[in-house]
Amino acid sequence: DIQMTQSPSSLSASVGDRVTITCRASQGIRDDLGWYQQKPGEAPKRLIYTASSLQSGVPSRFSGSGSGTEFTLAISSLQPEDFATYYCLQHNSFPLTFGGGTKVEIK
Amino acid sequence: EVQLVESGGGLVQPGGSLRLSCAASGFTFSSYWMSWVRQAPGKGLEWVASIKEDGREKDCVDSVKGRFTISRDNAKSSVYLQMNSVRAEDTAVYYCAWGKSAASWGQGTLVTVSS
């Protein structure tokens, strides 16, 4: 099984800060990775697909990078609506696996 | 616009059964994998099962193998999760998702396993 190690598990940041979240795969997954945002009481929403492609309608302050085993989600300038929990998902092989999540909180 | 609407959740006793349904619209259902993902209270996301376009290929997480079955009806644009021999640890919100890459999600349906 492919393990997805996501870090950090939580972070505190201020509006306007640049934030980066990392997912590391236990083996190569090419670019078969997505990033998701989840707010309390809501379903997750995909932000990034194939590691670096921005989902339609998602603000351009979100970006994804990486391939193989190391992946990064970046938020260039944190906005109030971005405080949420973020997950990565590898869909390269079964069982599909999520990272443990990163909760982004207000400093 | 893609829409996924889950139903069938509720309270079930340990060892009991439940069938979740997900009605899809806004895309050519028969051309895509479909998945179920769950989230236990206060926990992260866990992939449960996925099924191929024609239903001939499917897979699920080890913890539900032999108990849960994913199926689909392309004529009804619907995907199902038959849950048998449920356990307390199956308590979660169950989401239907479009594709293996979970491009879009339903609002979720809560399954509570308790006596």
Side-chain angles (χ1 to χ4, degrees):
Chain A
D1 296 4
I2 298 174
Q3 312 303 319
M4 300 302 297
T5 303
Q6 187 172 339
S7 60
S9 57
S10 65
L11 64 90
S12 295
S14 300
V15 173
D17 284 353
R18 177 179 174 81
V19 166
T20 60
I21 299 168
T22 298
C23 266
R24 178 177 292 112
S26 59
Q27 61 192 76
I29 59 169
R30 302 181 303 183
D31 62 356
D32 296 330
L33 181 119
W35 289 98
Y36 303 80
Q37 176 193 66
Q38 186 180 33
K39 297 179 180 179
E42 297 183 6
K45 168 189 167 184
R46 191 170 73 173
L47 303 174
I48 301 288
Y49 63 97
T50 56
S52 60
S53 299
L54 190 67
Q55 187 78 24
S56 175
V58 173
S60 59
R61 62 180 179 273
F62 290 94
S63 63
S65 62
S67 183
T69 61
E70 293 279 338
F71 302 87
T72 299
L73 172 70
I75 310 173
S76 60
S77 177
L78 202 63
Q79 297 302 299
E81 60 268 30
D82 300 337
F83 292 94
T85 302
Y86 295 84
Y87 296 92
C88 63
L89 166 67
Q90 73 79 16
H91 55 90
N92 176 264
S93 63
F94 290 121
L96 309 187
T97 42
F98 287 90
T102 297
K103 187 173 184 179
V104 177
E105 299 175 303
I106 302 172
K107 181 182 285 185
Chain B
E1 179 193 2
V2 172
Q3 280 205 315
L4 301 168
V5 180
E6 302 96 336
S7 60
L11 176 64
V12 58
Q13 292 189 337
S17 296
L18 209 58
R19 189 196 196 207
L20 306 184
S21 300
C22 171
S25 61
F27 62 100
T28 305
F29 182 80
S30 59
S31 298
Y32 293 91
W33 283 77
M34 293 297 293
S35 300
W36 287 96
V37 175
R38 68 184 177 182
Q39 186 169 39
K43 302 297 185 182
L45 301 171
E46 180 183 38
W47 169 76
V48 175
S50 295
I51 186 167
K52 198 176 178 181
E53 299 91 335
D54 60 4
R56 293 185 180 185
E57 185 179 343
K58 58 184 79 171
D59 205 341
C60 62
V61 68
D62 281 352
S63 59
V64 309
K65 275 181 179 162
R67 302 188 299 121
F68 292 9
T69 302
I70 188 172
S71 63
R72 65 190 295 159
D73 184 338
N74 286 345
K76 295 183 177 179
S77 296
S78 293
V79 61
Y80 309 98
L81 187 68
Q82 178 66 42
M83 306 170 61
N84 297 332
S85 304
V86 296
R87 305 166 180 167
E89 54 265 36
D90 296 321
T91 294
V93 174
Y94 285 74
Y95 296 101
C96 170
W98 179 25
K100 281 195 292 181
S101 62
S104 187
W105 301 57
Q107 84 287 350
T109 187
L110 176 62
V111 173
T112 303
V113 182
S114 175
S115 54

